[in-house]
Structures are given as structure tokens and as C-alpha cells.
Amino acid sequence: MTFTNRRHFLSQVSFAAAALATSGFGFTSHVKRDGFVEVEIAPGKLRGVRYEGVNIFRGIPYGGKVSGDRRFRRPAPVEPWTGVRSSVFGAPAMQPPRHNEPAPAEDCLFLNVWTPGNDDKKRPVMFYSHGGGFVIGSGASQSQDGSNLARNFDVVVVQTNHRLGLLGFLYLDEIAGADYAGSGNMGMLDIVDGLKWVHENIARFGGDPDNVMIFGESGGGAKTSCLYAMPTAAPYFNKASIESGPGVRMTTKEAAAQTTAMLLRELNIPSKDWRKLLDVPATDLLAIQAKLPFVPPFIDKETNKTAQPGAGGFGPVVDGNVLPHHPFDPAAPEISKDKPLLVGWNEDEYNFFIWQRKETDLVKMDFDGLHKKLEPFHGADTGKMIETYRKTRPDASAIDIFVAISSIAMMGLGSIDIAEKKVKQNGAPVYLYNFGYKSEKKILNTDYPMGTPHAMDISFKFNNEVPPKNPSQPSESFFGGKKPERFVASHHFAELWTTFARTGKPAAKDVPTWPAYNLKDRPTMRIDTNCEVINNRFGEELAMWRSIKKA
């Protein structure tokens, strides 16, 4: 029995991320500069921008050509350059155009660095993988700008662009031969190349190559789950955080091969002539990709088969080599046993999707409507589910319960599953969290507040919710609202994460001691203006979910 139709949810994540990409939600524009700073790495000299105590290096190539004869393969080496390379964002991976960014391009292997100084200090390195499922996104979103983390907490922040969609995850291993081994995971191997670049170069940017934290939200959380299980990534990081994107299981070879066959049929290319894919313009491949399902089908853990008919979607493939097994099934990956982990989700994840899909009628639903809305996903268990949530939340409205059920089904159950499996491994600690700061902003033209929706945590954990320099200027966050107390919640979140990056244990001033997760007390840190540790949070509700799972 599956908890929810994960394919339906992930498709919403991809479409919602696409909406953010085109809505103007926080994409970095030009930065005013205080001066320049130069650094030399093996391929040549880089010129960064110095701005309010942070050196910003944008568009650094960490891999070479991935187009032409390198399509679906490992990248060519970075070509050396003469002179000094300026700090300009590199092209994002092929996707619809992004607001205030360069045009997407097939050759997209660039990274960005924010550092307090190009000196000999050994600062913790925070290596972030962007969200957007596995089909859109880039390392240039303003909400995830690394300046404030670097400036306020003395860390180095790194973010990559990497291949996405079918150009990053088309599985050709079974028809294309040894040169294309690992083709279903090129996008993940790009990220590993970024980590390798950090290991080799970050000391020149004031970072410690032996103290690297990987983290990511939504699709970036799933990427982090995969990195946590990948042998090629293992030497290059020490700790990880999986945020609102628990990647417990990924695509099987069988499902990925079906998707490849479907793509070839769509292009009228026989499998023996697969090389013709190398001649199809990238823009045409992007158009074809848009006709296919956005994400791979959910893989049922009991049968190891797709829980929905049909193929489609592009994401990491459990190929037995690059990704040897599912990241957290049947157990936490042994290869990262000794690496501390953070994992968690936002309390009101689904409000993001109500906003994005303009599902304003949901806000008005009664309890009969709630049953009708949930039944297609939860079947005969729907009544038991609603009964449990009405008992534990006696004052909640129908929409409140719908959001609570949908949010934990999307992100919470997988996060808890990861935490439990990590505990059972008897290795490094795992810390479970919920982000709970409540935005007063209303969803569309309703009176229903956003609460703590999916993606709101990004600007908070990057400490990009800060008071304006001019107190007379209005200050409002895209999701976070206008209340000044959000600045305190953001500082807590950022300090917890940067302390974890530095020491492997999350801590912050004016925040209670955060105990590692265990199977007795099941402590969860609720992150807000006033943070608190809650033992066995959602205990009665989780007991219901577990009973459904065993049914």
C-alpha cells in the first residue's frame, strides 16, 4: 500500500518549480560592487566581485563540453583560458527561459562561490543542490543567494548548474555500449564533478576541502539523498541535509529503459539507430521532453515495480554502478554510515501547490468535500485518516486537515523513514526537524494564510530574510510575509545549519539543545521564532499511517 500517489505529487513539484522560474520569484540580478578580487586556478585566472564583505565568483566552469559528441556522456575537460575570466552567471541547463538569467544551454557546467575571503582560513563549505525536480532550476536563484550565509556565519557557499531532464538522465546503458555507461545519471555525476572541483580548489577561496556539507531542498533534497549513496561522491563530503525532498527510492533500470524506448518511439528512431539522438537539436529534445510525464513513476517498495502504468520522466537511475541501490531502501546507505545527517520538512508544504495551481476552491471545502478529494489517493483508508486527524486536531477546518495530510504524505513520511533507518544503522547521528514559521500572506484571493509552504524555507535557511538597511523601506518576502519576527526565525535556521556544517551538530544561540533522533523519544526540532524540541511529534497520526502501510 503506498501512502499517496507520489507521481502526482512530484509532477506538481516540477510544474510548481516551473511557475517559480517564470514568476520573478527571487532570481539574482546584477550585484553592486565594492571592488574586485582575483584568484588563479588551474585553467586560468578568475575575477570576483567584492560586495559588503563577501567575494562572489559566478559562472566558474567546473566541467567542459557536454554537447555534440559529449551528449549523454561524461564532460570534456575544462578548456584553459587566457586573461581573466569575469564573474558572470553561466548558462543554466536546458529548460524554459529563466527570469534575469542567461539563456539556457546544453553546455551548462558552471558553479558559483560566495566566500568571506580568498585567504588561508579553513571555513566550512556548504554545497547546495537546487530544487526543481530533476528538470528545471539553477544555482542563481536570489532566494538561495549565499552572500548572507558567508557574511554572517563565516562559511563558504557553493552552488552548481548541472544537466537536467533527458539530457542529464536518459538511460542508454543497454543500447549504447561502454562509452555511455552511467548515462542515466549524468546529471548526478555532474554534481559529483562539482564536489571534486571543491575538493581541489576551495582552499583558494578560504574553504576547508575536508569539511564539506551537502544540502538541498525539494529536488535538491532528492539529489542529496542520491549523493549520500553514491560511491563517487563519498570522498568529497562529510555531512548532509535533506530538506523537503526525501529521496528514499529512485528509478529502476527497467522503468528507465521503458522511458528511453518511449522517447525513441516519439522521435521515430529505432533503438539500433539511437545515435541519431546526438543530431537532434537540444531545443527539439526539450520540446519532446515536455510531451512526456515530468517525473518517473513511483516505484512500489514491496514489489519493486512501478505503482502506476506506463513510463516517462527523467531522474537518477538505480543502475547498480553509479547509484548502486536505492538511497534509503531497504536501509540507510552503508557508505555514509559515519556522516551526520539532517532531514525534515515544512509544516504546510501543500499550500505552495494550492497557490501555484490556483486551487482556491479547496479553501472552501467542507468535510464531505475533503473525503472526495482524498479518496482517489487513499481509497478505503480515507475515512480512518480523516477520523484520526479530526481527533488530534479538533479545531481544524477541512482545508486545515487536507493540508496536514497532504504535507506529511508528500514530505514527512519519507523524512521520518530516512531518520529511522539512519538511527538503526548505529552510525553518525541524524537530526529530524519541522520548519514551522507561519507567514500571514494569503493564498491568492482567499483569506487562507500561506503558513509554512513548500520552498519557503529556502530564503530562511540562507538567511535572506533580514531587516532592510533603511528601516523606512517596506520589507516583504515573497512567501514569508511582512512580520519582522521572520528575521529571528531566519537567523535561527541559518545558524543551526551553519553550525551543523562546521561541527556536525546543529546548534544556535537562544535555541534549545537539539538531541539526535532516536526510536524511543523521537525528538523533532520545530524551527520558528521560538524553537522547541517536541518528542514523538504527530505520534497518533503516524501510528495511523503505519497501520495503513501494514494493511
Side-chain angles (χ1 to χ4, degrees), residues 291-432:
K291 296 180 180 180
L292 306 179
F294 264 61
V295 294
F298 172 73
I299 309 299
D300 187 271
K301 66 179 296 181
E302 281 78 24
T303 66
N304 205 41
K305 296 179 180 178
T306 58
Q308 295 87 30
F314 298 96
V317 179
V318 182
D319 60 5
N321 182 23
V322 175
L323 187 58
H325 47 73
H326 294 291
F328 284 91
D329 191 71
E334 187 69 20
I335 197 170
S336 291
K337 179 178 180 179
D338 297 326
K339 297 179 179 181
L341 181 66
L342 286 168
V343 62
W345 75 100
N346 299 351
E347 289 179 349
D348 308 308
E349 299 272 2
Y350 197 83
N351 282 342
F352 180 108
F353 306 99
I354 296 176
W355 163 79
Q356 187 271 327
R357 295 171 65 88
K358 298 180 174 61
E359 293 182 330
T360 53
D361 288 345
L362 290 179
V363 174
K364 305 172 186 176
M365 74 166 71
D366 56 18
F367 283 98
D368 287 339
L370 174 64
H371 194 285
K372 292 177 183 177
K373 182 68 176 177
L374 291 174
E375 192 170 29
F377 304 107
H378 303 287
D381 298 311
T382 302
K384 180 179 181 181
M385 190 176 296
I386 294 173
E387 179 184 1
T388 300
Y389 274 76
R390 293 195 73 173
K391 178 181 177 183
T392 60
R393 303 170 188 234
D395 297 327
S397 64
I399 180 59
D400 292 338
I401 289 178
F402 175 75
V403 170
I405 289 173
S406 301
S407 298
I408 199 169
M410 286 177 170
M411 300 299 186
L413 298 175
S415 299
I416 294 168
D417 187 27
I418 286 173
E420 290 178 345
K421 287 171 177 174
K422 183 66 179 172
V423 168
K424 292 174 182 177
Q425 198 175 41
N426 293 315
V430 57
Y431 301 90
L432 184 68

Side-chain angles (χ1 to χ4, degrees), residues 388-503:
T388 300
Y389 274 76
R390 293 195 73 173
K391 178 181 177 183
T392 60
R393 303 170 188 234
D395 297 327
S397 64
I399 180 59
D400 292 338
I401 289 178
F402 175 75
V403 170
I405 289 173
S406 301
S407 298
I408 199 169
M410 286 177 170
M411 300 299 186
L413 298 175
S415 299
I416 294 168
D417 187 27
I418 286 173
E420 290 178 345
K421 287 171 177 174
K422 183 66 179 172
V423 168
K424 292 174 182 177
Q425 198 175 41
N426 293 315
V430 57
Y431 301 90
L432 184 68
Y433 77 90
N434 296 141
F435 179 45
Y437 175 82
K438 300 302 178 190
S439 170
E440 81 285 4
K441 287 194 74 169
K442 301 301 191 290
I443 297 175
L444 300 172
N445 297 316
T446 75
D447 291 326
Y448 197 71
M450 294 292 290
T452 318
H454 187 68
M456 193 177 91
D457 56 309
I458 301 173
S459 61
F460 280 73
K461 73 168 68 82
F462 276 92
N463 200 212
N464 289 331
E465 300 287 346
V466 291
K469 293 173 185 175
N470 182 350
S472 66
Q473 291 179 340
S475 173
E476 182 173 5
S477 168
F478 189 86
F479 280 145
K482 296 180 180 180
K483 295 186 296 184
E485 49 262 46
R486 75 183 191 275
F487 307 142
V488 177
S490 178
H491 194 278
H492 287 334
F493 210 151
E495 188 176 359
L496 288 166
W497 257 236
T498 53
T499 304
F500 180 74
R502 182 168 280 108
T503 68

